[in-house]
Amino acid sequence: MFGADDEPLREFQYFNEDGVFIGKSEGTQPDGELFRQAHYVFDSNNDTLKNLDLLMIMRRKLKNLRVALVNVPIKQIDQIMEINRQISELEQNIAELELQSWKQAS
């Protein structure tokens, strides 16, 4: 079966953070509401469309870096600069993942 623009229809399965099934949909794109609610989303091709585990790990690492930054003495400016670089890079990666997830939900 094919949908608009001759894209094959797929089945999407949605799961919460504990891996409990919360719903499914069919179409060429995931259901926006179910996608936003889900922690994990898979399609009928066994592709992972959403996995918030990585995002949670990145946010935890960001929090730890901020705590580490506060504890670095001002005399160790090289270490402060390196931690700030890591924080900036991580913030950018988190923003990109969130944007990608938001685009897939629309």
Side-chain angles (χ1 to χ4, degrees), residues 32-43:
E33 185 61 29
L34 283 170
F35 192 89
R36 279 186 285 282
Q37 292 175 19
H39 190 85
Y40 306 102
V41 179
F42 304 95
D43 70 5

Side-chain angles (χ1 to χ4, degrees), residues 10 12 14 28-36 41-43 47-52 96-106:
R10 296 182 287 171
F12 300 94
Y14 308 87
T28 56
Q29 298 291 323
D31 177 82
E33 185 61 29
L34 283 170
F35 192 89
R36 279 186 285 282
V41 179
F42 304 95
D43 70 5
D47 290 332
T48 302
L49 303 179
K50 182 177 182 182
N51 182 342
L52 292 183
E96 288 174 9
L97 270 177
E98 288 173 337
L99 180 63
Q100 179 185 6
S101 179
W102 180 83
K103 283 182 179 180
Q104 287 181 334
S106 347

Side-chain angles (χ1 to χ4, degrees), residues 36-77:
R36 279 186 285 282
Q37 292 175 19
H39 190 85
Y40 306 102
V41 179
F42 304 95
D43 70 5
S44 53
N45 298 329
N46 290 323
D47 290 332
T48 302
L49 303 179
K50 182 177 182 182
N51 182 342
L52 292 183
D53 289 346
L54 180 58
L55 192 56
M56 290 172 52
I57 290 167
M58 291 171 76
R59 286 182 179 150
R60 193 175 312 123
K61 182 176 180 182
L62 180 60
K63 179 182 173 187
N64 291 340
L65 282 172
R66 287 180 174 151
V67 168
L69 180 63
V70 171
N71 293 321
V72 175
I74 197 75
K75 292 188 256 180
Q76 296 177 345
I77 192 69

Side-chain angles (χ1 to χ4, degrees), residues 1-4 7-12 26-28 44:
M1 294 179 35
F2 290 89
E7 282 189 55
L9 294 177
R10 296 182 287 171
E11 178 179 279
F12 300 94
E26 286 188 8
T28 56
S44 53

Side-chain angles (χ1 to χ4, degrees), residues 5 19 25 37 45 88 95:
D5 300 326
S25 66
Q37 292 175 19
N45 298 329
S88 177

